[in-house]
Amino acid sequence: RLKEVDDSKDPKGYDQVLGDYLLASGTSPDIPHVVDALFSHLTSLVSAGKTGQMVEALLYSIFLFSVSTSQDTIQVKTRSPGGRGPGCALVFGFGGGHFKELSGQVDFYSSLGFQVIATTPCLGPQALAERQKNALAEHLREALAEREDMSLVVHVCSNVGMGFWINLMGAWIEHKEAPWNTLPELHSILKCLVVDCAPFVPAVLDKAPSKAPPIRSLPPTDKGLEKLVPVMLGCMGGLCRQYAPHIHPIAMSQEQRFGQLLRGAAKNGSSLVAPSWPEFGDYKKWETIDVTWKPPLPRLFLHSAKDRLFPPAVIQAYVEHTKKYNPEALVLVEKCETAPHCKLWEVEQARCAAAVRTLLAKSSIIPAV
């Protein structure tokens, strides 16, 4: 069916074929077979010298699929029957990750008595992405129905987690369409936000130039595109490590034809495949909504001195930007010392936990220690 899409000249066809297969496979799709088939087809097209929007659309569709290596699976960790805790924690993972890689955050919130809903955002295929959003709304409805004074804590990891939250937050606040119009008003329940290893916002990066190593065969371009390329490689690399370890996207990127295709997909893929939100998140939308919170929403930026993807200067640039556009908001910052990108809770869990406890206490969700 991938070859049929080639002939159809419909860039969205690859996403459709992938979605049809995964939905038809039920609860046990053969993901290793899917990954192998996708990369085999891509490699055959590149080897044949194919260029243009169809090959770029295929590569971008693979990237969207690779953002969540657990597809649209959602983990729900409830309290014991009759238990009463401080609220619900909603945790969104990082690109190229699996929901199981959120165990540090999940176990932390669970230890404090929160109900926890955790997932890695599914960006493709669109059929699974829609199924995930509908399931999230249902899980939230069940968790928030426990009592009227429930508090919601949102914890987002990297730009994928933050971008996903911005998109969902907008639909929730508008409260016009199912399933979001069945949930409590967001302004009444959201008490604080944890931003973990994020954000990378190209608009504020004049103060924080990218440190990501460029692909050797290609010159750097704008900062957003320069960063999207390693993000794409990281996500596809995570997918292949888990399901097809014989495939090495980073090594493939050093071949000039594939490198050119990769940059073309980064530049044009979004318009070809038409995902529902920008790769790095709609921060204009976020900031417009953020300043409406009364009282202002407390937030914590967790990051690391050893993060090579989003170095400290990138995070600090947005911290300072936040203080300017929302000067009344409580902004806490915790910089870990040794953890790589999105591994803070594996490497420096005690430090992360202490910082989040401080935020929760200052937000009047748990007692101050």
Side-chain angles (χ1 to χ4, degrees):
R1 292 194 59 190
L2 292 173
K3 292 181 179 179
E4 293 175 5
V5 177
D6 297 339
D7 297 333
S8 75
K9 306 301 181 183
D10 177 10
K12 299 180 179 66
Y14 300 113
D15 181 273
Q16 182 68 52
V17 165
L18 182 56
D20 290 347
Y21 174 82
L22 293 172
L23 291 179
S25 300
T27 58
S28 55
D30 187 351
I31 302 300
H33 168 72
V34 171
V35 175
D36 191 68
L38 289 170
F39 275 95
S40 293
H41 191 65
L42 177 66
T43 300
S44 69
L45 293 177
V46 174
S47 297
K50 301 293 184 180
T51 60
Q53 68 175 22
M54 291 302 292
V55 192
E56 291 173 358
L58 173 59
L59 179 54
Y60 199 82
S61 296
I62 295 172
F63 158 58
L64 293 179
F65 178 55
S66 73
V67 167
S68 174
T69 61
S70 48
Q71 292 75 59
D72 62 332
T73 304
I74 300 170
Q75 179 187 18
V76 179
K77 195 164 185 177
T78 60
R79 290 188 296 275
S80 58
R84 182 179 175 89
C88 175
L90 183 59
V91 184
F92 293 142
F94 54 91
H98 193 284
F99 77 87
K100 292 181 179 178
E101 294 178 87
L102 303 172
S103 60
Q105 294 95 320
V106 170
D107 291 346
F108 166 74
Y109 288 111
S110 181
S111 72
L112 296 178
F114 283 90
Q115 294 194 59
V116 187
I117 301 170
T119 192
T120 298
C122 176
L123 303 192
Q126 292 300 302
L128 263 65
E130 287 301 313
R131 187 170 72 177
Q132 183 186 56
K133 285 187 281 190
N134 290 333
L136 268 173
E138 181 60 32
H139 290 307
L140 282 164
R141 183 165 48 250
E142 293 177 1
L144 297 172
E146 180 179 291
R147 64 178 195 268
E148 292 184 357
D149 62 340
M150 285 287 282
S151 296
L152 177 67
V153 175
V154 174
H155 187 129
V156 299
C157 300
S158 200
N159 268 43
V160 164
M162 184 65 177
F164 189 69
W165 166 241
I166 295 170
N167 187 44
L168 291 190
M169 179 188 64
W172 193 341
I173 287 177
E174 290 172 2
H175 225 247
K176 295 178 181 178
E177 297 182 1
W180 306 103
N181 58 1
T182 64
L183 298 177
E185 292 285 349
L186 185 60
H187 279 86
S188 67
I189 60 173
L190 180 60
K191 304 303 182 183
C192 65
L193 173 70
V194 180
V195 185
D196 191 330
C197 292
F200 168 87
V201 183
V204 302
L205 283 193
D206 288 340
K207 299 177 181 178
S210 169
K211 302 298 183 184
I215 294 178
R216 289 198 298 269
S217 60
L218 296 167
T221 56
D222 65 271
K223 289 185 174 67
L225 180 58
E226 181 185 352
K227 184 64 70 174
L228 181 55
V229 168
V231 167
M232 291 174 67
L233 286 172
C235 290
M236 292 188 290
L239 181 72
C240 292
R241 280 192 299 275
Q242 181 152 345
Y243 298 108
H246 59 287
I247 300 173
H248 304 283
I250 293 178
M252 293 169 64
S253 73
Q254 302 307 317
E255 196 277 318
Q256 187 164 1
R257 282 183 297 180
F258 188 88
Q260 291 171 336
L261 170 62
L262 183 66
R263 197 168 289 277
K267 181 178 181 181
N268 304 316
S270 181
S271 61
L272 294 171
V273 182
S276 57
W277 49 272
E279 292 92 342
F280 292 116
D282 187 345
Y283 284 88
K284 181 178 179 181
K285 180 178 182 179
W286 157 247
E287 292 165 13
T288 300
I289 294 174
D290 185 26
V291 296
T292 68
W293 243 262
K294 302 299 180 187
L297 186 69
R299 78 278 321 266
L300 164 67
F301 291 92
L302 272 176
H303 66 117
S304 176
K306 298 297 183 181
D307 191 328
R308 296 184 61 195
L309 186 62
F310 295 169
V314 168
I315 308 302
Q316 193 60 40
Y318 196 76
V319 169
E320 297 305 318
H321 175 69
T322 299
K323 292 177 179 179
K324 290 179 181 178
Y325 84 77
N326 198 351
E328 296 182 4
L330 174 67
V331 178
L332 303 180
V333 180
E334 184 66 29
K335 183 168 73 173
C336 295
E337 297 299 328
T338 60
H341 185 67
C342 287
K343 299 297 182 183
L344 277 59
W345 290 81
E346 294 180 24
V347 178
E348 299 178 72
Q349 183 171 11
R351 187 168 191 162
C352 294
V356 176
R357 281 196 188 94
T358 298
L359 175 69
L360 296 175
K362 288 183 178 292
S363 303
S364 301
I365 299 174
I366 64 172
V369 179

